[in-house]
Amino acid sequence: MADSNKKLTKNVFVTVGTTSFDALIKTVCSENLIEVFRELGYSKILLQIGRGEYEPPVMKSDDFCVEYYRLKPSISEDVSSADLIISHAGAGSVLEAMGAKKPLIVVINDSLMGNHQVELAYQLYKDGHLYYGTCCELKNLLRTVDLRKLKPLEPGRPEKFGAFLDQVMGIS
């Protein structure tokens, strides 16, 4: 039986992978976005800030907290305990979040030249698996999207690819 005094919390996990994406960390930690998270019922934000220069202020109160770390060997525990994941557009981070079947908002780093990550985010958005935007659009995205409408990414079926290769190579 659950402890009736235990407070139910909704957690946001923000990841920038091994890169630096200070603009995302600053955006998520801004007073405007903290207020939006509170309005949406979230009470904790855990940030994985990678190699960024910006170190956000740690916030701890009775009803809300913000914590961070740079890197660790695995983020799988943080991903699995999150109710919402906000991620940079790196394929590894995106696929880990989607593999855990967690609601995902991908934030494009529009300061990167020739940003190929937009293509991945756009295709997965078109397929209904995530929402995406820039730091400037994040507040509006949080307020307007329906995370319940996201579709889980179905696991790959490598046997189909193997059969296709066998057919092309004339093996089968």
Side-chain angles (χ1 to χ4, degrees), residues 40-88:
L40 295 171
Y42 295 99
S43 57
K44 180 179 180 183
I45 300 174
L46 178 60
L47 306 150
Q48 182 268 314
I49 66 170
R51 293 183 291 122
E53 291 182 18
Y54 177 71
E55 291 190 15
V58 173
M59 170 195 281
K60 288 190 182 196
S61 68
D62 289 341
D63 65 341
F64 201 86
C65 77
V66 176
E67 299 173 341
Y68 76 91
Y69 63 89
R70 289 199 172 276
L71 299 167
K72 60 179 165 179
S74 172
I75 62 170
S76 61
E77 187 176 309
D78 302 322
V79 168
S80 66
S81 66
D83 298 292
L84 169 64
I85 298 172
I86 299 174
S87 175
H88 74 125

Side-chain angles (χ1 to χ4, degrees), residues 63-172:
D63 65 341
F64 201 86
C65 77
V66 176
E67 299 173 341
Y68 76 91
Y69 63 89
R70 289 199 172 276
L71 299 167
K72 60 179 165 179
S74 172
I75 62 170
S76 61
E77 187 176 309
D78 302 322
V79 168
S80 66
S81 66
D83 298 292
L84 169 64
I85 298 172
I86 299 174
S87 175
H88 74 125
S93 298
V94 169
L95 292 175
E96 185 161 2
M98 292 176 61
K101 298 184 179 2
K102 297 291 182 167
L104 176 62
I105 297 176
V106 168
V107 179
I108 304 298
N109 188 345
D110 52 4
S111 69
L112 297 177
M113 297 282 290
N115 191 349
H116 65 281
Q117 295 175 346
V118 174
E119 296 162 3
L120 173 66
Y122 178 69
Q123 186 61 52
L124 292 170
Y125 164 75
K126 272 183 30 180
D127 294 342
H129 302 300
L130 58 78
Y131 294 106
Y132 80 101
T134 62
C135 287
C136 294
E137 298 166 329
L138 185 55
K139 180 179 176 181
N140 188 52
L141 275 172
L142 287 166
R143 283 202 163 134
T144 59
V145 299
D146 185 351
L147 297 172
R148 297 169 300 181
K149 290 186 177 181
L150 293 175
K151 298 185 280 187
L153 183 66
E154 296 302 320
R157 296 181 37 209
E159 67 279 359
K160 283 194 161 197
F161 182 68
F164 170 75
L165 280 180
D166 288 349
Q167 181 182 359
V168 168
M169 301 301 286
I171 298 171
S172 61

